[in-house]
Amino acid sequence: MSATATDPNLQHLTQAREQIAQGDLKNAALTLNKANAQWPQDPRVFMLGGLLAEKSGNVKGAFEALRKSVSLAPDWGPGLLELALLLARQNQFQEAIETAEKVATLEPQNLQVLAGVIDIAHRAGHLDMAIRHLRRGLDLVPGDVALRRLLARDLSDQGQHEASISMWNALVQEHPADAQSLVGHVQACIAAGNPTGARDSVAALLGLAPDDAVYQYYARLAHGETPGQQPAELTRAIFDNMAEFYDLHMVRGLKYQLPKQVGDKILARHPDKKINVLDLGCGTGLLGVCLGRLDGALVGVDPAMKMIEQAARHNVYDRFHTVNLHDALRETPAALYQVIAALDVFIYAGEVTQAIPNAHRVLAPGGMMVFSFEAAPEQGPDMVLQPAGRYAHKRSHVEAVCESAGFATVEIEETVLREENHTPVPGFVVTAYKAA
């Protein structure tokens, strides 16, 4: 007896899934209608209907269809997993995690379920959950390279540096030409505060791609140098990967309030909004949301295209430039903006000795510059690269550069920039005014 004979909807469901994957949503809807007419209470029809609705932009309809699927088959793993994934994609993490844990319990041997649960844990920033399921996955598939890479990376992020480096060392020994394992080892050594321990892996990476800007950056770190800035290729990859859930992660997870605070400061000085604003490192547009539409131009600059795509959804920016902060300031004409902001940008952009004078040149007379920095110890170098991979700056150095650049007034306020692992990150905000 054929599968179609025992499951009359199988052909329609297979066809609908293929049509959804190909973006043929109109015909997918027609196919699902046929399947629903044939078997009105089939939970698979509603599950695929949820995927179809989400792909067409109807998130509300997607939730309705997937919840219907789960109500028809409360213990059916695929329906629960798709609901959990949708919840995670919509940043509804508490219910996503609860649903993911339920389906993991129902189908503990299912590798597709395992992959989905790990993805949800990562989206939610729940490292304990991710590590637990990654270890379970390695019990199911001992030695799996992809799972070992993910586990080693998560252990490093959790501060278990010795365990992480041990795993990366094993992976590199087994796969000495594998760039992902080599990069993972380098990053784990940097996070552990021991970049010189990565020299062999850096040498291997440069052997694979000697002109790669990121590998060259790692090589300088491994030899005890502090590069003036991170390469755009590195920051672009970081932020493109987190663009979809960046806002919730920063504002709710890390208690990031700078855009609101700086937005209020800008609007207090310019209540009529008749200003041009240059938002350096605009990211997903958090500052733009706080400013709203201007009677002027709001220009966003960011090297990560996916971050800019998120910012564009707010419909408050007039245009964007996909370049780094230094290039943007160097190439912008003089006296063009009343406000220049760079919030949580110099932690990646690094060097200020050229950027701040260029910002002064680009500001119109009477203009305002607002930059934020993580704080470096006053008794140390002007700028340090921390194990987390971010730059910290000495307050007195930034103040001196602002004064040397010609700013008439320089105000510096110490603040908590955000939280990480529930620990406040100390920093300061510089507000400098150009003479009128």
Side-chain angles (χ1 to χ4, degrees):
M1 183 179 292
S2 70
T4 303
T6 58
D7 184 354
N9 255 351
L10 180 60
Q11 183 176 351
H12 290 318
L13 295 171
T14 302
Q15 183 180 12
R17 186 179 287 277
E18 292 173 353
Q19 290 167 331
I20 293 169
Q22 295 165 2
D24 187 5
L25 304 186
K26 182 178 179 180
N27 283 322
L30 294 173
T31 303
L32 286 176
N33 286 337
K34 293 177 184 177
N36 191 52
Q38 187 158 272
W39 186 0
Q41 299 300 308
D42 188 340
R44 299 170 299 175
V45 172
F46 290 96
M47 183 191 76
L48 290 177
L51 301 182
L52 171 64
E54 185 189 16
K55 199 157 188 178
S56 65
N58 182 6
V59 175
K60 180 181 178 182
F63 272 118
E64 290 174 351
L66 286 170
R67 291 193 190 281
K68 176 68 173 178
S69 173
V70 170
S71 72
L72 291 170
D75 293 331
W76 181 51
L80 283 166
L81 180 62
E82 292 297 348
L83 175 59
L85 288 167
L86 177 63
L87 287 162
R89 288 192 290 270
Q90 296 302 315
N91 300 325
Q92 297 183 34
F93 292 127
Q94 183 173 347
E95 187 181 355
I97 288 171
E98 292 171 356
T99 308
E101 293 285 23
K102 179 179 179 180
V103 71
T105 301
L106 287 169
E107 300 202 21
Q109 306 296 315
N110 188 320
L111 294 178
Q112 183 178 357
V113 167
L114 176 73
V117 169
I118 292 169
D119 177 58
I120 290 165
H122 283 144
R123 284 176 175 268
H126 199 320
L127 283 181
D128 287 341
M129 175 182 174
I131 288 171
R132 174 163 44 84
H133 285 287
L134 284 165
R135 292 192 188 283
R136 184 171 64 81
L138 286 170
D139 288 338
L140 296 173
V141 194
D144 184 88
V145 171
L147 292 176
R148 290 163 69 198
R149 285 186 193 134
L150 287 172
L151 179 56
R153 187 169 292 113
D154 284 352
L155 289 170
S156 178
D157 289 344
Q158 202 179 52
Q160 298 186 48
H161 300 300
E162 186 176 347
S164 173
I165 291 172
S166 177
M167 290 194 70
W168 286 120
N169 278 331
L171 284 162
V172 168
Q173 288 174 8
E174 294 170 22
H175 309 280
D178 175 37
Q180 289 188 55
S181 296
L182 290 165
V183 167
H185 180 245
V186 172
Q187 292 174 338
C189 289
I190 293 170
N194 182 29
T196 58
R199 286 184 180 178
D200 289 346
S201 290
V202 167
L205 286 168
L206 289 173
L208 295 173
D211 297 327
D212 187 286
V214 175
Y215 299 167
Q216 292 172 353
Y217 169 80
Y218 288 148
R220 294 185 64 187
L221 293 178
H223 288 86
E225 300 177 35
T226 301
Q229 66 185 81
Q230 291 189 359
E233 294 85 350
L234 178 59
T235 53
R236 184 181 300 121
I238 292 170
F239 288 104
D240 275 344
N241 287 334
M242 65 186 305
E244 189 178 340
F245 51 91
Y246 178 84
D247 288 6
L248 190 70
H249 172 69
M250 289 295 291
V251 176
R252 186 179 299 177
L254 304 187
K255 296 180 171 57
Y256 181 57
Q257 297 298 317
L258 266 185
K260 177 67 167 62
Q261 295 164 1
V262 172
D264 289 347
K265 179 181 288 191
I266 293 169
L267 293 178
R269 184 173 172 86
H270 299 283
D272 60 2
K273 296 190 175 184
K274 293 182 178 180
I275 49 173
N276 295 327
V277 176
L278 180 61
D279 185 5
L280 296 166
C282 65
T284 56
L286 291 173
L287 178 61
V289 170
C290 296
L291 293 175
R293 292 294 302 181
L294 301 178
D295 187 6
L298 175 57
V299 178
V301 171
D302 202 285
M305 178 57 73
K306 289 186 179 179
M307 297 289 273
I308 284 178
E309 289 172 358
Q310 294 293 321
R313 296 182 180 185
H314 299 306
N315 294 315
V316 293
Y317 288 84
D318 294 279
R319 60 184 179 275
F320 296 96
H321 298 292
T322 314
V323 296
N324 66 44
L325 173 148
H326 297 284
D327 290 343
L329 286 172
R330 185 169 51 249
E331 297 169 10
T332 299
L336 193 60
Y337 292 93
Q338 284 72 41
V339 177
I340 300 176
L343 308 182
D344 250 19
V345 183
F346 280 99
I347 58 176
Y348 304 104
E351 189 58 61
V352 298
T353 54
Q354 296 298 319
I356 287 177
N358 266 326
H360 182 272
R361 177 186 59 80
V362 169
L363 279 173
M368 175 174 71
M369 176 190 83
V370 188
F371 290 175
S372 70
F373 301 89
E374 289 191 20
E378 281 296 312
Q379 64 272 23
D382 293 337
M383 181 181 75
V384 297
L385 187 61
Q386 305 169 102
R390 300 190 305 267
Y391 290 102
H393 295 75
K394 195 161 68 177
R395 170 178 172 160
S396 60
H397 173 64
V398 174
E399 185 174 16
V401 173
C402 289
E403 292 172 351
S404 175
F407 282 98
T409 305
V410 181
E411 300 171 356
I412 299 181
E413 178 184 359
E414 294 183 358
T415 187
V416 172
L417 298 175
R418 74 193 97 79
E419 291 187 1
E420 286 190 3
N421 297 321
H422 308 292
T423 302
V425 176
F428 56 93
V429 176
V430 175
T431 306
Y433 300 91
K434 187 173 182 177

